[in-house]
Amino acid sequence: MKLQLLKTVCLLLLATLPTIAQRTFTNPIKSSGPDPWVWQDNGWYYYMNTTGRNLTLWRTKNMADLSSAESKVIYTPPKGTAYSRDLWAPEIHRINNKRGDGPWYIYVAADSINNMTHRIWVLENTSADPFQGEWVMKGKLSDPGDHWAIDLTLLQHKGKLYAAWSGWEGAKNGRQDIYIARLKNPWTMAGDRVKISQPDQPWEQHGKTPDEWQKNGELPLILVNEGPEFLQNGKKTFLVYSANACWLDYCMGLLEHTGGSFMKAKNWRKHPQPVFTQSPENGVWAPGHGGFFTTNNGQKNWMIYHANPNETDGCGNKRAPHIQPFDWNTDGTPNFARPLAKTPMSVPE
């Protein structure tokens, strides 16, 4: 009798406990944020995006909470320098040492007058906490020819540092290619760049500029490969990049490393079709500049990308960060599927 009474009391107590609802979020995770980037470190997600005028850093324990995350302007460039204007696509990286607590670096494209002078600039912070300490300008990270460059990212692989970015072959605009180089240290290239992709597929060649731009002296056709980001699955290395133009049907392509040196163009294979395209039915236009992270338990892969809410929103601040999970195909390539609808989904856990 006593045992039965105890069971009844336990059942009544359980029935009175509040139901714990699964937390959800809805894309976009922030109202504006072109060129999003995420770096994970010790349970934190550090996030950056293009502001144009400064370097702002956010941090959160869950990417779904980005809109309410702590933020701090960590660097504003002085006026009158070669890196005072048009700060684009900043990325924060921690360059690991043997103890795994190496210094922090930020890579950002900036110019002095206009886009024609864009180069990559590097800042360093030796504090364990990137919200503390001082961010010091280390200088320009350029190839020996000092070519135009934007959207640089890093890969730490088997004790070596590699950089990939978007650049011009010569001194004039018209086509943006993807280049790779070894780094001697986080702010110096070890040698010349190697081109591993150019917009040579039909789906990469939709770069017609608007008529009003052409009246202002822009080229009638600008072909674009930009926003490269490394992605590894334990066995294979990929570069996911953005193709076409941000004012058109931006999409993502895939380069797959097939073996051998990263510094040989023949060792990179371009997949024949885009791997992520816009979804008009879901109100997601011009998705691009993708990045990648895992849940803090390491069990699930997620991607982050910016997208426009309308077809004609172009390359401005209407671009906002979206996140969604992705899987791997049986051949080891990433399967990003399509941009998901702007409906509630479970937060990354």
Side-chain angles (χ1 to χ4, degrees), residues 48-77:
M48 302 188 80
N49 62 233
T50 293
T51 71
R53 61 191 181 278
N54 61 39
L55 298 177
T56 301
L57 183 64
W58 287 259
R59 65 179 171 190
T60 180
K61 291 289 188 178
N62 194 301
M63 282 303 297
D65 300 325
L66 184 61
S67 63
S68 59
E70 177 186 9
S71 67
K72 181 179 181 180
V73 176
I74 56 174
Y75 184 81
T76 300

Side-chain angles (χ1 to χ4, degrees), residues 99-135:
R99 297 180 301 178
D101 59 355
W104 296 88
Y105 293 90
I106 288 176
Y107 298 82
V108 62
D111 63 51
S112 59
I113 301 173
N114 56 39
N115 179 45
M116 294 293 292
T117 61
H118 259 119
R119 298 295 188 274
I120 303 300
W121 299 87
V122 187
L123 295 95
E124 180 187 58
N125 187 342
T126 58
S127 173
D129 181 353
F131 271 65
Q132 305 299 321
E134 181 183 4
W135 284 96

